[in-house]
Coordinates of all heavy atoms in Angstrom, one line a residue:
M1 N 0.8 -1.2 0.0 CA 0.0 0.0 0.0 C 0.9 1.3 0.0 O 1.8 1.3 0.8 CB -0.9 0.0 1.3 CG -1.9 1.1 1.2 SD -3.1 1.1 2.6 CE -3.4 -0.6 3.0
P2 N 0.6 2.2 -0.8 CA 1.4 3.5 -0.9 C 1.3 4.2 0.5 O 0.4 4.1 1.2 CB 0.7 4.3 -2.0 CG -0.2 3.4 -2.7 CD -0.5 2.3 -1.8
S3 N 2.3 5.0 0.8 CA 2.3 5.8 2.0 C 2.1 7.2 1.6 O 2.6 7.7 0.6 CB 3.6 5.6 2.7 OG 4.7 6.1 2.0
W4 N 1.2 7.9 2.4 CA 0.9 9.3 2.2 C 1.3 10.0 3.5 O 1.2 9.5 4.6 CB -0.5 9.5 1.9 CG -0.9 9.0 0.6 CD1 -0.8 9.6 -0.6 CD2 -1.6 7.8 0.3 NE1 -1.3 8.9 -1.7 CE2 -1.9 7.7 -1.1 CE3 -2.0 6.7 1.0 CZ2 -2.5 6.7 -1.7 CZ3 -2.7 5.6 0.4 CH2 -2.8 5.6 -1.0
S5 N 1.6 11.3 3.3 CA 1.9 12.1 4.5 C 0.6 12.6 5.1 O -0.4 12.6 4.4 CB 2.8 13.3 4.2 OG 2.1 14.2 3.4
E6 N 0.6 13.0 6.3 CA -0.6 13.5 7.0 C -1.1 14.7 6.3 O -2.3 15.0 6.3 CB -0.3 13.9 8.4 CG -0.1 12.7 9.4 CD -1.3 11.8 9.4 OE1 -2.4 12.3 9.6 OE2 -1.2 10.5 9.4
A7 N -0.3 15.5 5.6 CA -0.7 16.7 4.9 C -1.6 16.3 3.6 O -2.3 17.1 3.2 CB 0.5 17.5 4.4
D8 N -1.4 15.1 3.2 CA -2.2 14.6 2.0 C -3.7 14.2 2.4 O -4.4 13.9 1.5 CB -1.5 13.4 1.4 CG -0.2 13.8 0.7 OD1 -0.1 14.9 0.3 OD2 0.7 12.9 0.7
L9 N -3.9 14.1 3.7 CA -5.2 13.5 4.1 C -6.3 14.5 4.4 O -6.0 15.6 4.9 CB -5.0 12.7 5.4 CG -3.9 11.7 5.4 CD1 -3.9 11.0 6.8 CD2 -4.2 10.6 4.4
K10 N -7.5 14.2 3.9 CA -8.7 15.0 4.2 C -9.7 14.0 4.8 O -9.8 12.9 4.3 CB -9.3 15.7 3.0 CG -8.4 16.7 2.4 CD -9.1 17.3 1.2 CE -8.3 18.3 0.4 NZ -9.0 18.8 -0.8
R11 N -10.5 14.5 5.7 CA -11.5 13.6 6.2 C -12.7 13.7 5.4 O -13.0 14.8 4.9 CB -11.8 14.0 7.7 CG -10.7 13.7 8.6 CD -11.1 13.7 10.1 NE -9.9 13.5 10.9 CZ -9.4 12.3 11.2 NH1 -10.0 11.2 10.7 NH2 -8.4 12.1 11.9
G12 N -13.4 12.6 5.2 CA -14.7 12.6 4.4 C -15.7 11.7 5.0 O -15.5 11.0 6.1
S13 N -16.9 11.7 4.4 CA -18.0 10.9 4.9 C -18.7 10.4 3.6 O -19.0 11.1 2.7 CB -19.0 11.8 5.7 OG -20.1 11.1 6.0
I14 N -18.8 9.0 3.6 CA -19.6 8.3 2.6 C -21.0 8.2 3.0 O -21.3 7.6 4.1 CB -19.0 6.9 2.3 CG1 -17.5 7.1 1.8 CG2 -19.8 6.1 1.4 CD1 -16.7 5.8 1.8
D15 N -21.9 8.9 2.3 CA -23.3 9.0 2.7 C -24.2 8.2 1.7 O -24.0 8.4 0.4 CB -23.8 10.4 2.7 CG -23.1 11.2 3.7 OD1 -22.6 10.7 4.8 OD2 -23.0 12.5 3.6
F16 N -25.0 7.3 2.2 CA -25.9 6.5 1.3 C -27.1 6.1 2.1 O -27.0 5.7 3.2 CB -25.2 5.3 0.8 CG -24.6 4.4 1.9 CD1 -25.3 3.3 2.3 CD2 -23.4 4.7 2.5 CE1 -24.8 2.5 3.3 CE2 -22.9 3.9 3.5 CZ -23.6 2.8 3.9
N17 N -28.3 6.1 1.5 CA -29.5 5.6 2.1 C -29.6 5.7 3.6 O -30.0 4.8 4.3 CB -29.7 4.1 1.7 CG -29.8 3.9 0.2 OD1 -30.3 4.8 -0.5 ND2 -29.4 2.8 -0.3
G18 N -29.3 6.9 4.1 CA -29.4 7.1 5.6 C -28.2 6.5 6.3 O -28.1 6.7 7.5
G19 N -27.2 5.9 5.7 CA -26.0 5.4 6.3 C -24.9 6.3 6.1 O -24.9 7.1 5.1
T20 N -23.9 6.2 7.0 CA -22.6 7.1 6.8 C -21.4 6.2 7.3 O -21.5 5.5 8.2 CB -22.7 8.3 7.7 OG1 -23.9 9.1 7.4 CG2 -21.5 9.2 7.6
I21 N -20.4 6.4 6.4 CA -19.1 5.7 6.7 C -18.0 6.7 6.7 O -17.9 7.5 5.7 CB -18.8 4.5 5.7 CG1 -19.9 3.5 5.8 CG2 -17.4 4.0 6.0 CD1 -19.8 2.4 4.7
A22 N -17.2 6.8 7.7 CA -16.1 7.8 7.8 C -15.0 7.3 6.8 O -14.8 6.1 6.7 CB -15.5 7.9 9.2
C23 N -14.3 8.2 6.2 CA -13.1 7.9 5.3 C -12.1 8.9 5.3 O -12.3 10.0 5.8 CB -13.6 7.6 3.9 SG -14.3 9.0 3.1
L24 N -10.9 8.6 4.8 CA -9.9 9.5 4.5 C -9.7 9.6 3.0 O -9.7 8.6 2.4 CB -8.6 9.1 5.2 CG -8.5 9.1 6.7 CD1 -7.2 8.5 7.2 CD2 -8.7 10.5 7.3
I25 N -9.6 10.8 2.5 CA -9.4 11.0 1.1 C -7.9 11.0 0.7 O -7.1 11.7 1.3 CB -10.1 12.3 0.6 CG1 -11.6 12.3 0.7 CG2 -9.8 12.6 -0.9 CD1 -12.1 12.7 2.0
R26 N -7.6 10.2 -0.3 CA -6.2 10.1 -0.7 C -6.1 10.5 -2.1 O -7.0 10.2 -2.9 CB -5.8 8.6 -0.6 CG -6.0 7.9 0.7 CD -4.9 8.2 1.6 NE -5.1 7.4 2.9 CZ -4.2 7.4 3.8 NH1 -3.1 8.1 3.7 NH2 -4.4 6.7 4.9
N27 N -5.0 11.1 -2.5 CA -4.7 11.5 -3.9 C -5.9 11.8 -4.8 O -6.1 11.3 -5.8 CB -3.8 10.5 -4.6 CG -4.4 9.1 -4.9 OD1 -5.3 8.7 -4.1 ND2 -3.9 8.4 -5.9
Q28 N -6.6 12.8 -4.3 CA -7.8 13.3 -5.1 C -7.4 14.0 -6.3 O -6.5 14.8 -6.4 CB -8.6 14.3 -4.1 CG -9.8 14.9 -4.7 CD -10.5 15.8 -3.8 OE1 -10.2 15.9 -2.6 NE2 -11.4 16.6 -4.3
S29 N -8.2 13.9 -7.4 CA -8.0 14.6 -8.6 C -9.3 15.2 -9.0 O -10.3 15.1 -8.3 CB -7.6 13.6 -9.8 OG -8.7 12.8 -10.2
D30 N -9.4 15.8 -10.2 CA -10.7 16.4 -10.6 C -11.7 15.4 -11.0 O -12.9 15.7 -11.0 CB -10.4 17.3 -11.9 CG -9.6 18.6 -11.6 OD1 -9.6 19.0 -10.4 OD2 -9.0 19.1 -12.5
T31 N -11.3 14.2 -11.3 CA -12.2 13.1 -11.7 C -12.5 12.0 -10.7 O -13.4 11.2 -11.0 CB -11.7 12.5 -13.0 OG1 -10.4 11.9 -12.8 CG2 -11.6 13.5 -14.2
G32 N -11.8 11.9 -9.6 CA -12.0 10.9 -8.7 C -11.0 11.0 -7.5 O -10.2 11.9 -7.4
A33 N -11.0 9.9 -6.7 CA -10.1 9.8 -5.6 C -9.9 8.4 -5.1 O -10.8 7.5 -5.5 CB -10.6 10.7 -4.5
A34 N -8.9 8.2 -4.3 CA -8.8 6.9 -3.5 C -9.3 7.2 -2.1 O -8.8 8.2 -1.5 CB -7.4 6.4 -3.5
L35 N -10.1 6.4 -1.5 CA -10.6 6.6 -0.2 C -10.1 5.5 0.7 O -10.3 4.3 0.3 CB -12.2 6.7 -0.2 CG -12.8 7.6 -1.2 CD1 -14.3 7.5 -1.1 CD2 -12.4 9.0 -1.0
E36 N -9.7 5.8 1.9 CA -9.4 4.8 2.9 C -10.6 4.7 3.9 O -11.0 5.6 4.4 CB -8.1 5.1 3.7 CG -7.7 4.0 4.6 CD -6.4 4.4 5.4 OE1 -5.6 5.1 4.8 OE2 -6.3 3.8 6.5
V37 N -11.0 3.4 4.1 CA -12.1 3.1 5.0 C -11.7 2.0 5.9 O -10.7 1.3 5.7 CB -13.4 2.7 4.2 CG1 -13.9 3.9 3.4 CG2 -13.1 1.6 3.3
A38 N -12.4 1.8 7.0 CA -12.1 0.7 8.0 C -12.2 -0.6 7.3 O -11.4 -1.5 7.5 CB -13.0 0.8 9.2
S39 N -13.2 -0.7 6.4 CA -13.3 -1.9 5.5 C -14.1 -1.6 4.3 O -15.1 -0.8 4.3 CB -14.1 -3.0 6.3 OG -14.5 -4.1 5.4
A40 N -13.7 -2.0 3.1 CA -14.4 -1.8 1.9 C -15.7 -2.5 1.8 O -16.6 -2.2 1.0 CB -13.5 -2.1 0.7
L41 N -15.9 -3.5 2.6 CA -17.2 -4.3 2.7 C -18.3 -3.4 3.2 O -18.0 -2.6 4.2 CB -17.1 -5.5 3.6 CG -16.1 -6.6 3.1 CD1 -15.9 -7.6 4.2 CD2 -16.5 -7.2 1.8
G42 N -19.4 -3.4 2.6 CA -20.5 -2.5 3.1 C -20.6 -1.2 2.4 O -21.6 -0.5 2.5
V43 N -19.5 -0.8 1.6 CA -19.6 0.4 0.9 C -20.3 0.2 -0.4 O -19.9 -0.7 -1.2 CB -18.2 1.0 0.6 CG1 -18.2 2.2 -0.2 CG2 -17.4 1.3 1.9
P44 N -21.4 0.9 -0.6 CA -22.2 0.6 -1.9 C -21.5 1.0 -3.1 O -20.5 1.8 -3.1 CB -23.5 1.4 -1.6 CG -23.1 2.5 -0.7 CD -22.0 1.9 0.2
A45 N -22.0 0.6 -4.2 CA -21.4 0.9 -5.6 C -21.5 2.4 -5.9 O -20.7 2.9 -6.6 CB -22.0 0.0 -6.7
Q46 N -22.6 3.0 -5.4 CA -22.8 4.5 -5.7 C -23.1 5.1 -4.4 O -23.9 4.6 -3.6 CB -23.8 4.7 -6.7 CG -23.4 4.2 -8.1 CD -24.4 4.7 -9.2 OE1 -25.6 4.7 -8.9 NE2 -23.9 4.9 -10.3
F47 N -22.6 6.3 -4.1 CA -22.9 7.1 -2.9 C -22.5 8.5 -3.1 O -21.9 8.9 -4.1 CB -22.1 6.5 -1.8 CG -20.6 6.4 -1.9 CD1 -19.8 7.5 -1.7 CD2 -20.1 5.2 -2.4 CE1 -18.4 7.4 -1.9 CE2 -18.7 5.1 -2.6 CZ -17.9 6.2 -2.4
N48 N -22.8 9.4 -2.1 CA -22.3 10.7 -2.0 C -21.2 10.8 -1.1 O -21.2 10.3 0.0 CB -23.4 11.7 -1.6 CG -24.5 11.9 -2.6 OD1 -24.2 12.1 -3.8 ND2 -25.7 11.7 -2.2
L49 N -20.1 11.5 -1.5 CA -18.9 11.8 -0.7 C -18.9 13.2 -0.2 O -18.9 14.1 -1.1 CB -17.7 11.4 -1.5 CG -16.3 11.8 -0.8 CD1 -16.1 10.9 0.4 CD2 -15.2 11.6 -1.8
L50 N -18.9 13.4 1.0 CA -18.9 14.8 1.6 C -17.4 15.0 2.1 O -16.9 14.2 2.9 CB -19.8 14.9 2.8 CG -19.7 16.2 3.6 CD1 -20.1 17.4 2.8 CD2 -20.6 16.1 4.8
I51 N -16.8 16.1 1.6 CA -15.5 16.5 2.1 C -15.7 17.9 2.8 O -15.9 18.9 2.2 CB -14.5 16.7 0.9 CG1 -14.4 15.4 0.1 CG2 -13.2 17.1 1.5 CD1 -13.6 15.5 -1.1
V52 N -15.8 17.8 4.1 CA -16.1 18.9 5.0 C -15.2 20.1 4.8 O -15.6 21.2 4.6 CB -16.2 18.5 6.5 CG1 -16.5 19.7 7.3 CG2 -17.3 17.4 6.7
A53 N -13.9 19.8 4.8 CA -12.9 20.9 4.7 C -13.1 21.7 3.4 O -12.8 22.9 3.4 CB -11.5 20.3 4.8
D54 N -13.5 21.1 2.3 CA -13.7 21.8 1.1 C -15.1 22.3 0.9 O -15.4 22.9 -0.1 CB -13.3 20.8 -0.1 CG -11.9 20.5 -0.1 OD1 -11.1 21.2 0.6 OD2 -11.5 19.5 -0.8
R55 N -16.0 21.9 1.8 CA -17.5 22.2 1.7 C -18.0 21.7 0.3 O -18.8 22.3 -0.3 CB -17.7 23.7 1.8 CG -17.4 24.2 3.2 CD -17.8 25.6 3.4 NE -19.2 25.8 3.2 CZ -19.8 26.8 2.5 NH1 -19.0 27.7 1.9 NH2 -21.1 26.8 2.4
L56 N -17.6 20.5 0.0 CA -18.0 19.9 -1.3 C -18.7 18.5 -1.1 O -18.3 17.8 -0.2 CB -16.8 19.7 -2.3 CG -16.3 21.0 -2.9 CD1 -15.1 20.6 -3.8 CD2 -17.3 21.7 -3.8
R57 N -19.6 18.2 -1.9 CA -20.3 16.9 -1.9 C -20.2 16.4 -3.4 O -20.5 17.1 -4.3 CB -21.7 17.0 -1.5 CG -22.4 15.6 -1.5 CD -23.9 15.7 -1.0 NE -24.0 16.3 0.3 CZ -24.0 15.5 1.5 NH1 -23.8 14.2 1.4 NH2 -24.1 16.1 2.6
Y58 N -19.7 15.2 -3.5 CA -19.5 14.6 -4.8 C -20.5 13.3 -5.0 O -20.5 12.5 -4.0 CB -18.1 14.0 -5.1 CG -17.1 15.1 -5.2 CD1 -16.4 15.5 -4.0 CD2 -16.7 15.7 -6.4 CE1 -15.4 16.5 -4.1 CE2 -15.7 16.7 -6.5 CZ -15.1 17.1 -5.3 OH -14.1 18.0 -5.4
G59 N -21.1 13.2 -6.1 CA -21.7 11.9 -6.4 C -20.6 11.0 -6.9 O -19.8 11.4 -7.8
C60 N -20.5 9.7 -6.4 CA -19.5 8.8 -6.7 C -19.9 7.5 -7.2 O -20.9 7.0 -6.7 CB -18.5 8.6 -5.5 SG -17.7 10.1 -4.9
T61 N -19.1 6.8 -8.0 CA -19.2 5.4 -8.3 C -17.9 4.7 -8.0 O -16.9 5.2 -8.4 CB -19.6 5.2 -9.8 OG1 -20.8 5.8 -10.1 CG2 -19.6 3.7 -10.2
V62 N -18.0 3.6 -7.3 CA -16.8 2.8 -7.0 C -16.3 2.1 -8.3 O -17.1 1.5 -9.0 CB -17.1 1.8 -6.0 CG1 -15.8 0.9 -5.7 CG2 -17.5 2.4 -4.6
I63 N -15.0 2.3 -8.6 CA -14.4 1.7 -9.8 C -13.4 0.6 -9.4 O -13.1 -0.3 -10.3 CB -13.7 2.7 -10.7 CG1 -12.7 3.6 -10.0 CG2 -14.8 3.6 -11.4 CD1 -12.0 4.5 -10.9
W64 N -12.9 0.6 -8.2 CA -12.0 -0.6 -7.7 C -12.1 -0.6 -6.2 O -12.4 0.4 -5.5 CB -10.6 -0.5 -8.2 CG -9.9 0.8 -7.9 CD1 -9.7 1.9 -8.8 CD2 -9.1 1.1 -6.7 NE1 -9.0 2.8 -8.2 CE2 -8.6 2.4 -6.9 CE3 -8.9 0.5 -5.5 CZ2 -7.8 3.0 -6.0 CZ3 -8.1 1.1 -4.6 CH2 -7.6 2.4 -4.8
R65 N -11.8 -1.8 -5.6 CA -11.7 -2.0 -4.2 C -10.5 -2.9 -3.8 O -10.2 -3.8 -4.5 CB -13.0 -2.8 -3.7 CG -14.3 -2.1 -3.9 CD -15.5 -3.0 -3.5 NE -16.7 -2.4 -3.9 CZ -17.5 -1.8 -3.1 NH1 -17.3 -1.8 -1.8 NH2 -18.7 -1.3 -3.5
M66 N -9.9 -2.5 -2.7 CA -8.7 -3.3 -2.2 C -8.8 -3.2 -0.6 O -8.6 -2.0 -0.1 CB -7.4 -2.7 -2.6 CG -7.1 -2.9 -4.1 SD -5.5 -2.1 -4.6 CE -4.4 -2.6 -3.3
E67 N -9.0 -4.2 0.0 CA -9.0 -4.2 1.5 C -9.6 -3.0 2.1 O -10.8 -2.9 2.3 CB -7.6 -4.5 2.1 CG -7.1 -5.9 1.7 CD -5.7 -6.1 2.2 OE1 -5.2 -5.3 3.1 OE2 -5.0 -7.0 1.7
R68 N -8.8 -2.0 2.4 CA -9.3 -0.8 3.1 C -9.3 0.4 2.2 O -9.5 1.5 2.6 CB -8.4 -0.4 4.3 CG -8.4 -1.5 5.4 CD -7.6 -1.1 6.5 NE -7.9 0.3 6.9 CZ -7.3 0.9 7.9 NH1 -6.4 0.3 8.7 NH2 -7.6 2.1 8.2
L69 N -9.0 0.2 0.9 CA -9.0 1.3 -0.1 C -10.0 1.1 -1.2 O -10.3 0.0 -1.6 CB -7.6 1.5 -0.8 CG -6.5 2.0 0.0 CD1 -5.2 2.0 -0.8 CD2 -6.7 3.4 0.6
I70 N -10.7 2.2 -1.6 CA -11.6 2.1 -2.7 C -11.3 3.3 -3.6 O -11.0 4.4 -3.2 CB -13.1 2.1 -2.3 CG1 -13.5 3.4 -1.5 CG2 -13.5 0.9 -1.5 CD1 -14.9 3.5 -1.2
G71 N -11.4 3.0 -4.9 CA -11.2 4.1 -5.9 C -12.6 4.5 -6.4 O -13.4 3.7 -6.7
V72 N -12.8 5.8 -6.5 CA -14.1 6.3 -7.0 C -13.9 7.3 -8.1 O -12.9 8.0 -8.2 CB -14.9 7.0 -5.8 CG1 -15.2 6.0 -4.7 CG2 -14.2 8.2 -5.3
K73 N -15.0 7.3 -9.0 CA -15.1 8.3 -10.0 C -16.1 9.3 -9.6 O -17.2 8.9 -9.1 CB -15.5 7.6 -11.3 CG -15.8 8.5 -12.5 CD -16.3 7.7 -13.7 CE -16.8 8.6 -14.8 NZ -17.3 7.9 -15.9
F74 N -15.8 10.6 -9.8 CA -16.8 11.6 -9.4 C -17.8 11.9 -10.6 O -17.4 11.8 -11.8 CB -16.1 13.0 -9.2 CG -15.2 13.0 -8.0 CD1 -14.0 13.8 -8.0 CD2 -15.4 12.2 -6.9 CE1 -13.2 13.8 -6.9 CE2 -14.6 12.2 -5.8 CZ -13.4 13.0 -5.8
H75 N -19.1 12.1 -10.2 CA -20.1 12.4 -11.2 C -20.4 13.9 -11.2 O -20.5 14.5 -12.3 CB -21.4 11.6 -11.0 CG -21.2 10.2 -11.2 ND1 -21.1 9.6 -12.4 CD2 -21.1 9.2 -10.2 CE1 -20.9 8.3 -12.2 NE2 -20.9 8.0 -10.9
E76 N -20.6 14.4 -10.1 CA -20.9 15.9 -10.0 C -20.4 16.3 -8.6 O -20.3 15.5 -7.7 CB -22.3 16.2 -10.2 CG -23.3 15.7 -9.1 CD -23.8 14.3 -9.2 OE1 -23.8 13.7 -10.3 OE2 -24.3 13.8 -8.2
A77 N -20.3 17.6 -8.4 CA -19.9 18.2 -7.2 C -20.7 19.5 -7.0 O -21.0 20.2 -7.9 CB -18.4 18.5 -7.1
Y78 N -21.0 19.7 -5.7 CA -21.6 21.0 -5.4 C -21.2 21.4 -4.0 O -20.9 20.6 -3.2 CB -23.1 21.1 -5.6 CG -23.9 20.1 -4.7 CD1 -24.4 20.5 -3.5 CD2 -24.2 18.9 -5.2 CE1 -25.2 19.7 -2.8 CE2 -25.0 18.0 -4.4 CZ -25.5 18.4 -3.2 OH -26.2 17.5 -2.5
V79 N -21.2 22.7 -3.8 CA -20.7 23.3 -2.5 C -21.8 23.1 -1.5 O -23.0 23.4 -1.8 CB -20.4 24.8 -2.7 CG1 -20.0 25.5 -1.3 CG2 -19.3 25.0 -3.7
Q80 N -21.5 22.7 -0.3 CA -22.4 22.5 0.8 C -23.1 23.8 1.1 O -22.4 24.9 1.1 CB -21.7 22.0 2.0 CG -21.4 20.5 1.9 CD -22.6 19.6 1.7 OE1 -22.8 19.2 0.7 NE2 -23.4 19.4 2.8
G81 N -24.4 23.8 1.3 CA -25.1 25.0 1.7 C -25.6 25.8 0.5 O -26.3 26.7 0.6
I82 N -25.2 25.4 -0.7 CA -25.7 26.0 -1.9 C -26.4 24.9 -2.7 O -25.9 23.9 -3.0 CB -24.5 26.6 -2.8 CG1 -23.8 27.7 -2.0 CG2 -25.0 27.1 -4.1 CD1 -22.5 28.2 -2.7
T83 N -27.6 25.2 -3.0 CA -28.4 24.2 -3.8 C -27.9 24.0 -5.2 O -27.6 25.0 -5.9 CB -29.9 24.7 -3.9 OG1 -30.4 25.0 -2.6 CG2 -30.8 23.7 -4.5
P84 N -27.7 22.7 -5.6 CA -27.2 22.4 -6.9 C -28.2 22.9 -8.0 O -29.4 22.9 -7.7 CB -27.0 20.9 -7.0 CG -27.7 20.4 -5.8 CD -27.9 21.5 -4.8
P85 N -27.8 23.3 -9.2 CA -28.7 23.8 -10.2 C -29.9 23.0 -10.5 O -31.1 23.5 -10.6 CB -27.8 24.0 -11.4 CG -26.5 24.1 -10.9 CD -26.4 23.3 -9.6
E86 N -29.7 21.6 -10.5 CA -30.8 20.7 -10.8 C -31.9 20.7 -9.8 O -33.0 20.2 -10.0 CB -30.3 19.3 -11.2 CG -29.7 18.6 -10.0 CD -28.3 18.9 -9.8 OE1 -27.7 19.8 -10.4 OE2 -27.6 18.1 -9.1
L87 N -31.6 21.2 -8.6 CA -32.6 21.2 -7.5 C -33.3 22.5 -7.2 O -34.1 22.7 -6.4 CB -32.0 20.6 -6.2 CG -31.5 19.2 -6.3 CD1 -30.9 18.8 -4.9 CD2 -32.6 18.2 -6.7
R88 N -32.8 23.6 -7.9 CA -33.3 24.9 -7.7 C -34.7 25.0 -8.3 O -35.0 24.5 -9.4 CB -32.4 25.9 -8.4 CG -31.1 26.0 -7.6 CD -30.2 27.2 -8.2 NE -28.9 27.0 -7.7 CZ -27.8 27.4 -8.3 NH1 -27.8 27.8 -9.5 NH2 -26.6 27.2 -7.7
T89 N -35.5 25.8 -7.6 CA -36.9 26.1 -8.1 C -36.9 27.4 -8.8 O -36.1 28.3 -8.4 CB -37.9 26.1 -7.0 OG1 -37.6 27.0 -6.0 CG2 -38.1 24.7 -6.4
K90 N -37.7 27.6 -9.8 CA -37.7 28.8 -10.6 C -38.7 29.8 -10.1 O -39.7 29.4 -9.5 CB -37.8 28.5 -12.0 CG -36.7 27.7 -12.6 CD -36.8 27.4 -14.0 CE -35.6 26.6 -14.4 NZ -35.4 26.3 -15.8

């Protein structure tokens, strides 16, 4: 498993159907990220990832799994507290 410095870590939350799993975000890019979890078992194929420090929420699909790491592809992102365009009323 690759090693990352503490400066590379961000705390996140995997949110799905009323459930939440804590995670650490690893090597995030514009299109996805590697997430460290206590166990990849129980993490659904699709979920929302909340990154509190960035005030962002991403729609994600899992593209790979390894023990405590999962790789995700981002679908969309929006800033917490700001309604995404598709949910705004006119």
Side-chain angles (χ1 to χ4, degrees):
M1 188 179 320
S3 64
W4 290 279
S5 71
E6 288 297 315
D8 294 331
L9 305 181
K10 291 182 188 176
R11 295 197 180 277
S13 175
I14 296 170
D15 297 334
F16 58 95
N17 297 331
T20 301
I21 298 173
C23 66
L24 294 175
I25 292 89
R26 310 274 187 175
N27 65 333
Q28 180 182 349
S29 73
D30 291 339
T31 59
L35 309 177
E36 182 178 337
V37 292
S39 170
L41 296 174
V43 176
Q46 293 189 325
F47 56 83
N48 287 312
L49 173 65
L50 173 63
I51 304 175
V52 177
D54 296 343
R55 295 187 59 224
L56 289 174
R57 181 180 297 272
Y58 294 91
C60 298
T61 296
V62 175
I63 54 173
W64 57 264
R65 297 174 190 256
M66 293 175 45
E67 296 178 16
R68 295 182 49 178
L69 291 177
I70 58 174
V72 298
K73 174 183 173 184
F74 297 148
H75 294 285
E76 72 272 341
Y78 61 92
V79 177
Q80 286 298 105
I82 298 175
T83 306
E86 67 272 15
L87 298 179
R88 292 184 188 147
T89 58
K90 297 181 180 188

